[in-house]
Amino acid sequence: MKPIYTSLLASASLLLLQLSASAQGCVAVRHMSCAAPGGAATSADFFKQRTGHWQINMGYRYFKSFRHFRGDKEEHERLEQNTEVINLSHAVDLGISYLATTRLSFSVNLPIQYNDRSSLYEHYGNSVTANPEQKRFHTGSQGIGDMRISASYWLVNPYKLPKANVALGLGVKLPTGNYAVTDDFHKLDKEKRDYVVNKPVDQSIQLGDGGVGASLEAQGYVQVGKHSTVYFNGFYLFNPRETNGVIRNPEATTIDLVTGSFSVADQFAARVGFSQSVSAIPGLALMLGGRVEGVPAYDVFGGSKGFRRPGYIISVEPGVAYMKGKYSAALTVPIALYRNRIKSYADRLDPQGLRHGDAAFADYLVSASFSRWF
């Protein structure tokens, strides 16, 4: 393979495999890899050599969310008063792909997650009166998430147009992740004695959403110089199911008909960027791009009732990628530039227009991936 194509492959192919929707806080976006195998910005010889071959993929993501936003305004007092909610999330994505032809590929991805959440309000309460010692307790979830099966098709034969191409994809998300994970929450009785209630953990750390979804995807690249490529990719996940039936507060005497159970929300992610190969080190490339991901307030299909924290985050995404032979690796660190917890369906039912929930966001996300062809 020519050095230029090796460098471009290192930057573009791994980025396409690496795009994911991933909860970066209380805005509950399911951990899920997005994009098809086969790479982008590659030579026709690459597709010919890989046709009929398999690729295994492994990705890792980490974030810590703790900054609270209501709309796009940060609530700095939460940190000052020690009332912020802290989510720590680790996810490993396992995937396998098959390049059936030079244009058609299939993928299966399954995330494995570990989530930890600490807060005051879910236990003794945020106020000094309710929680004079400011005790912070932890809840968590561990296990597999929702599986995604997808297919992707390049619109133009790479042999005919090797320097630019676009692929479209379809996918299905299966509810393999537990969407009713429970843990122990600490409460105080009238005599200020501690007791424990076992109930569902917060939606942001549930392993799945309980719905069967369908996704539309797009990815592409344009070679703009001998060592430079512009790449883009994105997806939208449609979740027609309105709620998953999990009651948030089973100990409550009455259940809110709108927010009493968890919503099964749509989600989206997209990125665009620029890749520059390093001629002195064949296979190495540096990238810089932009990224947006989030949850809408209203679903495209089905109802939008249920509890959800809609919003989105816009990030700048520097990264590095490397490819040698059958091996590829990439590392990106999206850094938040803008965060917005928009009004939910339930917020907008307020006749006075005053209701507006908050959400915690991360400052950055660490995303690494590795793949090998067989």
Side-chain angles (χ1 to χ4, degrees):
M1 186 183 295
K2 297 179 180 179
I4 175 60
Y5 287 120
T6 302
S7 298
L8 294 177
L9 174 62
S11 59
S13 177
L14 264 289
L15 280 171
L16 294 178
L17 286 166
Q18 200 182 34
L19 176 65
S20 61
S22 52
Q24 293 193 49
C26 292
V27 175
V29 185
R30 301 269 73 79
H31 282 287
M32 180 172 16
S33 294
C34 172
T42 65
S43 69
D45 289 339
F46 171 84
F47 287 96
K48 182 178 180 180
Q49 294 168 7
R50 297 295 189 258
T51 298
H53 289 202
W54 296 84
Q55 183 184 49
I56 58 169
N57 314 304
M58 183 175 70
Y60 168 77
R61 290 190 302 279
Y62 162 82
F63 72 84
K64 173 185 177 181
S65 67
F66 62 98
R67 295 191 185 278
H68 285 259
F69 284 78
R70 199 179 304 270
D72 61 359
K73 305 299 181 183
E74 183 179 357
E75 299 180 324
H76 298 280
E77 67 274 12
R78 297 295 295 271
L79 291 175
E80 297 168 359
Q81 298 169 3
N82 193 38
T83 61
E84 78 277 16
V85 176
I86 302 174
N87 277 10
L88 291 175
S89 179
H90 301 267
V92 174
D93 289 318
L94 302 178
I96 186 167
S97 307
Y98 179 68
L99 189 60
T101 71
T102 55
R103 300 172 70 175
L104 178 64
S105 56
F106 301 93
S107 298
V108 178
N109 292 90
L110 181 69
I112 302 174
Q113 306 173 45
Y114 172 86
N115 303 300
D116 177 83
R117 177 181 174 88
S118 67
S119 68
L120 298 178
Y121 88 93
E122 293 174 304
H123 303 275
Y124 288 175
N126 276 346
S127 68
V128 176
T129 302
N131 190 357
E133 299 181 13
Q134 293 288 285
K135 285 190 175 181
R136 180 181 289 271
F137 295 96
H138 293 253
T139 54
S141 61
Q142 308 85 36
I144 65 171
D146 288 343
M147 177 184 291
R148 192 178 68 88
I149 303 172
S150 62
S152 184
Y153 186 77
W154 293 102
L155 298 184
V156 180
N157 190 319
Y159 283 98
K160 297 181 179 179
L161 193 62
K163 295 184 178 182
N165 215 334
V166 174
L168 299 180
L170 295 174
V172 59
K173 177 188 66 67
L174 303 177
T176 53
N178 187 354
Y179 56 93
V181 177
T182 62
D183 207 340
D184 291 337
F185 291 78
H186 292 261
K187 304 293 181 179
L188 293 174
D189 62 18
K190 294 181 179 180
E191 285 72 35
K192 301 298 182 181
R193 294 175 300 189
D194 179 270
Y195 70 97
V196 172
V197 175
N198 187 271
K199 64 177 185 178
V201 299
D202 188 79
Q203 184 184 47
S204 62
I205 62 171
Q206 289 289 343
L207 300 175
D209 60 23
V212 175
S215 62
L216 291 178
E217 306 172 16
Q219 56 181 299
Y221 62 91
V222 178
Q223 184 180 335
V224 295
K226 185 176 180 181
H227 299 281
S228 306
T229 301
V230 173
Y231 60 84
F232 66 89
N233 55 347
F235 88 107
Y236 191 96
L237 174 67
F238 302 92
N239 261 326
R241 185 176 183 181
E242 188 168 31
T243 63
N244 60 23
V246 176
I247 303 301
R248 296 171 55 214
N249 297 301
E251 74 276 13
T253 55
T254 59
I255 303 299
D256 189 311
L257 297 179
V258 177
T259 62
S261 60
F262 290 139
S263 174
V264 183
D266 288 1
Q267 63 188 60
F268 59 87
R271 67 143 64 95
V272 62
F274 178 81
S275 167
Q276 177 70 37
S277 63
V278 180
S279 56
I281 306 176
L284 180 66
L286 305 178
M287 300 91 67
L288 183 64
R291 177 184 180 117
V292 60
E293 55 201 309
V295 170
Y298 295 89
D299 291 347
V300 175
F301 303 108
S304 302
K305 291 182 180 179
F307 180 80
R308 74 171 73 182
R309 298 184 185 95
Y312 59 94
I313 181 170
I314 299 175
S315 307
V316 60
E317 186 176 31
V320 60
Y322 181 72
M323 180 179 185
K324 184 175 182 180
K326 298 180 180 180
Y327 298 90
S328 302
L331 173 68
T332 63
V333 183
I335 302 170
L337 298 179
Y338 180 80
R339 289 156 282 196
N340 193 335
R341 199 295 203 182
I342 63 177
K343 285 191 174 185
S344 67
Y345 171 87
D347 291 338
R348 299 182 189 191
L349 292 179
D350 180 6
Q352 297 180 339
L354 301 177
R355 182 172 177 177
H356 194 156
D358 73 319
F361 291 85
D363 282 341
Y364 63 90
L365 168 73
V366 177
S367 180
S369 62
F370 172 82
S371 67
R372 186 189 190 281
W373 284 96
F374 290 89

